[in-house]
Amino acid sequence: MCGIVGYVGRSEAAPILLDGLRRLEYRGYDSAGVAIVNGKGVETRKCAGRIAELANLMAEQPPSGNYGISHTRWATHGKVTDDNAHPHFDASGKLALVHNGVIENYQALKEELIRDGDADFVSDTDTEVLAHLIGKLYDTSGRGNGNTPPQSEKSRLVAAVRAALQQVIGTYGIAVVHSDIPDFMIGARRGSPLVLGVGKEENFLASDVSAIVAYTRDAVYLNDFDIVAVERDRFEISSLAGGGADYRVSKVEFTAEDIGKGDFPHYMLKEIFEQPNSVRDAMRGRLSSEECSAKLGGLNMTPAELRDVERIVVTGCGTALHAGRIGEYLIEQLAQVPTEAEFASEFRHRNTPMIGNTLVFAISQSGETADTLGALRESKRKGYRTLGICNNVASTIARESDGGVYMHAGPEIGVAATKSFTSQVVILTLVALLLGRMRHLSTADGSEIIEALEALPGQIEQVLKLSDSIKAVAKKYASANGMLFFGRQHNYPVALEAALKLKEITYLFAEGHPSAELKHGIIALIRPDLPSVFIAPDDAVFSKNLNNMEQVKARKGPIICVTSDGCAEKLKGIADDVISVPRTLDFISPILTVIPLQLFAYHLAVELGRDVDKPRNLAKSVTVE
Ligand code: F6R
């Protein structure tokens, strides 16, 4: 949700900033801009539209200089226009600022600046207020008087940033440069991620390490309320309140190659095809054939504590919550622990009754989703043990949780989440297995589950081989105006997830429902031009699903069915198109049934000419509420 890249070094900043922005484009793509400083002042290029348009602008008039900041925007305050594109400037035009987050009290700050005659605003953004405020404080303080000696320009700018941020209510990741202060930039964060990349005679700032990993793999993940002053060969981290701040330089665990598309036309397709490996990596070292259970040391809980858990709340947003909903079925079935999956955005503001031994799981691929982070903080504030299931190991949710399980799925760049979903479901299966084996599950039950989990990577390979035939089905339904998705039990959340995938990347109207709900109202929608997709593996409710399909068929609704190998015969005359996946245990089937539907949404979106990796209005990591 907005991407920031900053550079101070000896190289030309422009290509480095542009390259970084391209890597961060998944965070937002409404407008983009750079501010590069050289001996003559600040050179700015910015425009509404994608990074490619900014690149054209920069090619026409190349900005030159060895330090600068840049931004790709996902609009929150103010329309998508050239003027609202970042960077924004103070009244002197010498200070440039880029921002990710939301300044909630911007209106009050703006009115004050206008009243005092300190600023003429050229944009409708909340960000411009911050640029003016920092600029004003820089220009008016720390110059020394009879009693105090003047401070250096660098110290004055750090002090101005600190003083301005102390007035701000809201969230921010920012980068600031000033044309009077050569080879110097400042970064700060609260609620929006910011990473310092430590190079050799060059340093970087970025919202995400993927922007800078081609240049350095040494990174400092800044904490909330950190302010970092960055020069070519040094940096200093202090806290918003003043005084030093703790930090650690860590090695980034992936390389620039890992975040390329390889031979795939889109990240989404690459990530769908990575699932045999990502699923394997989610369980690597976590299955114990001896104990017939899972080993999840990162939970930081003793066996007695695990056994004493009386209730579980699983929270997250979007795809992560859909995985959580499968977790709800899994944990209740295998461990009989009452479990509730709850939208993070609702949970954090609701007064959910929680009994003493409630365990909370916050699920998030990015680990930066504002609503999920808010839910985690609320749960911790109330004193509940709160665990994270995250992919990004350096993320705020991973760092603030009391323990958890990493997905190890590798970077997910496609805006539509795919491999993170299956990894999340695998991890929730491990949690359910562990809790179940602490209670009533036998060793035989445990072994059967482990065997089914170990078979998954090979079975996913089988499903991926169906890509071309799924493409043909997608083409057949390309003129549909919308679709309905139905599933029961463990596969009901798959219907929700499949509908979300279709909506996000094809822009078609889609809804997911429990199959049996059909007759309680949804059936009124059924007509010959509205396809229904049933997720009906050969499980305990297969025959019930079959009944529901008959009800659709009787009303001339076209049916696509995702089922288990060997069921096609039973669906003859009912389903128009059948996609079969390998057989597994009922509660593990979502990991296999969701993949054809990821492929279905992907192929349909390509057929409709959609921008699969950067769908309209979306951003990968939603760091605003
Ligand atoms: C859907 C999608 C979103 C995310 C949601 C949570 O394809 O990507 O619904 O799942 O924004 O994101 P994370 O998992 O990063 O918290």
Side-chain angles (χ1 to χ4, degrees), residues 17 38 44 83 85-86 107 126 133 151 182 188 245 248 312 455 492:
L17 295 178
N38 52 40
T44 309
D83 282 342
H86 298 214
Q107 202 60 47
D126 51 337
L133 189 57
Q151 294 171 11
R248 193 165 66 88
I312 292 180
Y492 157 52

Side-chain angles (χ1 to χ4, degrees), residues 317-320 363-367 369 372 415-417 500-501 504 622:
C317 304
T319 292
I363 310 183
S364 173
Q365 186 283 130
S366 62
T369 300
T372 312
V415 165
L500 179 63
K501 286 292 87 93
E504 302 185 89
V622 186

Side-chain angles (χ1 to χ4, degrees), residues 412-493:
E412 188 178 70
I413 313 263
V415 165
T418 51
K419 62 176 177 174
S420 60
F421 177 78
T422 44
S423 296
Q424 287 155 1
V425 179
V426 166
I427 288 167
L428 288 163
T429 313
L430 299 182
V431 170
L433 170 61
L434 177 66
L435 293 173
R437 286 284 294 128
M438 299 249 142
R439 292 167 172 78
H440 60 275
L441 274 191
S442 68
T443 51
D445 293 334
S447 295
E448 192 187 20
I449 295 167
I450 289 179
E451 218 172 281
L453 285 169
E454 283 175 335
L456 277 173
Q459 292 181 318
I460 296 172
E461 300 274 8
Q462 295 298 314
V463 177
L464 294 173
K465 287 190 187 138
L466 303 176
S467 184
D468 283 343
S469 53
I470 293 169
K471 184 175 175 176
V473 179
K475 276 190 169 188
K476 183 172 159 188
Y477 294 97
S479 61
N481 287 324
M483 286 190 199
L484 297 171
F485 291 80
F486 297 102
R488 295 179 88 124
Q489 300 287 299
H490 309 277
N491 279 289
Y492 157 52

